[in-house]
Amino acid sequence: MCMGLKSSCDFIGLPVISIDDSREVGSVKALVIDFANAVVCAIAVEGDYWFDPPRVVPFSAIQGIGDAAVTIQDTGSLVPLSSIPEVEEQARANVRVRGVRVFTDTGAQVGTVSEFLIDCETGYLVGFDIPSGSELIRVPRERLISLGQHVMVIRDMEGDDACGTGMSAESAARLHSGPIGTPSAAHTASSTAGSGLSEAFSAARETFLVGRTAAATIRTDDGIVIIHEGDDITPDTIASAKSAGRFEQLVNTVKARKVEHNG
């Protein structure tokens, strides 16, 4: 998984590669954005034929995001849009972010978003570029109060040098990536791409996990083994992990194995 930032336009057109099947299954057609949480919840994948039904890859199922491609473990990660109703709802909302008008909480109009940056690890929208005359303002996520289909509201920028022009790559990498208005809750939505999508993504992630191999042994607080390293994950494994509060650990150990596999 790419650990850096990527402009939204750099995603579009990237081939989507299935690792296990050793083939290209399509290309990134669009980003599906949960605007309430300002996070990419899935990527829409364009197939070989115009009549192919809409398909998506939940962001949590992406294995790698590079300059040349997006990778998934296998074709099972690519699912019909209609199979995840809450993602379908976000897709139909058609939130593009680019072109959204930006206002401050004090009532000033800042401009219009021309581009935005995405954290490749979490899917969070972490920076927004707004042309202003001959300058380019880059607004970090920590200033974001709310994001809608047509309007974004940010905290007043007056007197703050962080949103000036010519921001370096190092500065961009330090952009805050917590949820809107609640930095202390940074991990509550990262795995499921937004709390509003939790039920749909929980089901999708469970389906995705079944049959995968655990890269480490996972135990309960009492030391009882939930799954041994090298064992295949079953629905019973998932139920036990969730009951013991170890579901995220189970997800992460599978991801760790896949990253190793990718070299």
Side-chain angles (χ1 to χ4, degrees), residues 17-227:
I17 305 296
S18 169
I19 296 171
D20 288 353
D21 301 292
S22 302
R23 69 185 183 93
E24 182 177 335
V25 297
S27 59
V28 179
K29 181 178 182 179
L31 303 175
V32 182
I33 296 171
D34 170 11
F35 63 88
N37 293 291
V39 65
V40 177
C41 58
I43 59 171
V45 178
E46 188 168 31
D48 294 331
Y49 305 101
W50 65 267
F51 50 80
D52 285 341
R55 300 177 298 169
V56 296
V57 175
F59 197 88
S60 59
I62 293 175
Q63 296 304 299
I65 300 173
D67 293 334
V70 172
T71 59
I72 57 177
Q73 193 62 33
D74 54 38
T75 54
S77 305
L78 184 62
V79 298
L81 176 61
S82 59
S83 69
I84 312 179
E86 293 188 50
V87 174
E88 183 177 27
E89 181 181 349
Q90 298 292 351
R92 292 190 184 283
N94 199 31
V95 177
R96 298 296 184 184
V97 182
R98 290 197 300 272
V100 165
R101 293 182 297 158
V102 182
F103 295 85
T104 68
D105 54 352
T106 58
Q109 183 166 357
V110 181
T112 302
V113 176
S114 62
E115 183 55 280
F116 58 99
L117 297 176
I118 299 159
D119 184 321
C120 294
E121 184 178 14
T122 64
Y124 284 132
L125 279 55
V126 295
F128 306 86
D129 290 345
I130 306 170
S132 179
S134 60
E135 299 182 341
L136 183 66
I137 299 171
R138 176 159 289 173
V139 178
R141 182 185 178 94
E142 62 188 347
R143 289 195 171 277
L144 186 59
I145 297 175
S146 61
L147 173 64
Q149 292 178 260
H150 306 292
V151 171
M152 176 191 298
V153 180
I154 62 174
R155 303 191 192 285
D156 197 322
M157 297 182 298
E158 186 175 354
D160 195 324
D161 295 332
C163 295
T165 60
M167 179 177 282
S168 67
E170 290 80 11
S171 296
R174 290 196 296 270
L175 283 174
H176 180 71
S177 59
I180 300 174
T182 55
S184 63
H187 295 291
T188 58
S190 62
S191 296
T192 56
S195 58
L197 303 171
S198 58
E199 291 184 7
F201 268 104
S202 178
R205 294 168 84 202
E206 289 178 27
T207 300
F208 176 73
L209 285 173
V210 172
R212 310 296 179 190
T213 302
T217 298
I218 299 176
R219 293 180 170 86
T220 66
D221 290 337
D222 298 327
I224 299 172
V225 174
I226 296 173
I227 187 169

